[in-house]
């Protein structure tokens, strides 16, 4: 049985090791695979992107366990959801409805609450064990609906342009925007486009690979998850082009404008 783990725990403290110890106590044969533990603390949008862009690579009946912002509500509840042939476990913190807003999702609950993150993780281990023993039959769990629904961060669409936000900056400082290939094509309608940056620089075509441009040159491409990405071949796009991760607590938002010509 494969269990993926996703969190904002980081590696500076022992939270992740403790979480794995709790899981292994009940699930000694589990194969645990880390998706990411360096999600920006409490950054729901980035966490959702990490989940959505990763789960499709795993085999059927993989269990995807989010340890992100477990105690967003106190006491914390646990939701388990089936999306296709994949299974997702999360606290009721908005992650499930944000990640799978356009997909059919069967949602259940444990029926209990937890007063600490360790208690919640132990509860999640019990859910996983029950899923395994029941051959992934969710009928034994009470029906549930998420109670936390975050605001959907959507591109701002106008007739001749769209404004996007940064939802992830990876290790190489490639910048991921909140627009997919299908959304881009629908809005573009076959028109030329221009993405403008600082110093009057811009990108006017979609590349297929980073190496499509010379080293140090900027480019745009759709990444493996299908999201539009701004990059510099063997360079640091976020730093050099002045991009930062979207933060909805800031009074002034940073938009990336795509003009259709």
């Amino acid at each position: 049985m494969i269990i993926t783990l996703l969190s904002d725990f980081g590696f500076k403290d022992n939270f992740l090791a403790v979480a794995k110890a709790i899981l292994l106590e009940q699930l000694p044969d589990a194969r645990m695979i880390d998706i990411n533990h360096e999600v920006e603390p409490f950054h729901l949008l980035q966490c959702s992107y990490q989940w959505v862009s990763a789960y499709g690579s795993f085999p059927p009946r993989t269990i995807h366990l989010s340890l992100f912002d477990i105690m967003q509500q106190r006491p914390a509840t646990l939701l388990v959801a089936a999306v296709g042939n994949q299974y997702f476990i999360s606290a009721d913190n908005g992650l499930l409805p944000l990640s799978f807003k356009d997909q059919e999702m069967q949602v259940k609950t444990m029926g209990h609450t937890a007063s600490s993150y360790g208690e919640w993780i132990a509860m999640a281990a019990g859910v996983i064990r029950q899923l395994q023993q029941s051959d992934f039959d969710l009928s034994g769990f009470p029906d549930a609906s998420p109670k936390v629904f975050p605001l959907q961060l959507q591109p701002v669409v106008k007739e001749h342009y769209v404004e996007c936000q940064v939802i992830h900056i990876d290790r190489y400082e490639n910048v991921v925007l909140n627009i997919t290939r299908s959304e881009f094509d629908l809005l573009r309608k076959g028109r030329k486009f221009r993405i403008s940056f600082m110093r009057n620089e811009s990108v006017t075509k979609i590349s297929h690979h980073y190496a499509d441009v010379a080293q140090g040159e900027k480019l745009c491409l759709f990444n493996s998850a299908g999201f539009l990405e701004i990059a510099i071949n063997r360079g640091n796009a976020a730093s050099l082009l002045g991009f930062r991760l979207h933060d909805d607590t800031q009074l002034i938002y940073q938009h990336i404008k795509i003009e259709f010509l």
Side-chain angles (χ1 to χ4, degrees):
M1 175 179 56
I2 298 175
I3 303 172
T4 72
L5 301 176
L6 175 64
S7 78
D8 56 354
F9 286 168
F11 296 100
K12 185 176 181 179
D13 302 299
N14 63 6
F15 297 128
L16 179 57
V18 170
K20 288 183 176 181
I22 295 170
L23 292 167
L24 287 170
E25 185 176 5
Q26 294 193 48
L27 306 162
D29 298 324
R31 296 170 57 196
M32 287 188 277
I33 297 176
D34 300 305
I35 292 179
N36 194 339
H37 297 292
E38 294 187 323
V39 173
E40 190 76 14
F42 312 117
H43 202 292
L44 185 67
L45 190 65
Q46 186 186 41
C47 187
S48 174
Y49 169 74
Q50 292 288 319
W51 234 12
V52 169
S53 61
Y55 83 88
S57 299
F58 288 89
R61 293 190 170 188
T62 295
I63 296 172
H64 304 277
L65 175 59
S66 168
L67 306 176
F68 171 84
D69 201 11
I70 291 172
M71 304 307 295
Q72 196 263 4
Q73 292 184 316
R74 296 175 184 269
T77 56
L78 181 149
L79 300 177
V80 55
V83 179
N85 54 19
Q86 306 277 334
Y87 295 81
F88 300 84
I89 298 174
S90 171
D92 190 355
N93 55 19
L95 184 59
L96 283 171
L98 178 63
S99 301
F100 305 109
K101 59 184 180 296
D102 298 324
Q103 299 185 54
E104 184 176 344
M105 178 172 59
Q106 181 185 12
V107 182
K108 302 284 186 173
T109 186
M110 183 64 173
H112 305 290
T113 58
S115 58
S116 68
Y117 91 95
E119 186 180 342
W120 189 93
I121 294 168
M123 191 162 62
V127 169
I128 294 170
R129 189 175 64 251
Q130 188 172 339
L131 281 173
Q132 188 178 31
Q133 292 172 348
S134 67
D135 195 31
F136 289 83
D137 182 3
L138 290 177
S139 62
F141 296 96
D143 291 331
S145 296
K147 293 182 173 59
V148 178
F149 288 88
L151 292 175
Q152 303 288 339
L153 182 63
Q154 301 290 347
V156 178
V157 178
K158 302 295 182 180
E159 184 177 359
H160 297 295
Y161 67 90
V162 58
E163 291 181 339
C164 302
Q165 292 79 36
V166 177
I167 60 172
H168 181 58
I169 297 174
D170 68 19
R171 175 179 173 82
Y172 300 97
E173 294 199 26
N174 301 318
V175 178
V176 181
L177 306 183
N178 61 330
I179 185 168
T180 63
R181 181 191 295 272
S182 58
E183 292 168 333
F184 179 84
D185 289 341
L186 184 64
L187 294 170
R188 183 183 179 186
K189 300 176 182 176
R191 292 176 288 180
K192 295 180 180 179
F193 71 94
R194 179 175 61 229
I195 306 177
S196 301
F197 310 119
M198 58 190 301
R199 299 188 303 273
N200 295 320
E201 296 182 276
S202 63
V203 171
T204 58
K205 67 177 183 178
I206 299 295
S207 297
H208 298 287
H209 307 283
Y210 298 106
D212 285 350
V213 301
Q215 183 172 329
E217 290 295 319
K218 56 194 173 301
L219 69 142
C220 288
L221 52 71
F222 289 100
N223 64 21
S224 58
F227 287 80
L228 186 62
E229 186 175 298
I230 299 170
I232 292 177
N233 183 16
R234 306 186 70 83
N236 306 114
S239 295
L240 294 174
L241 299 174
F243 291 123
R244 61 184 184 274
L245 193 63
H246 175 83
D247 184 352
D248 56 13
T249 65
Q250 298 293 324
L251 294 177
I252 300 176
Y253 298 153
Q254 182 185 38
H255 298 290
I256 294 87
K257 190 174 184 179
I258 306 174
E259 299 175 90
F260 299 114
L261 310 174

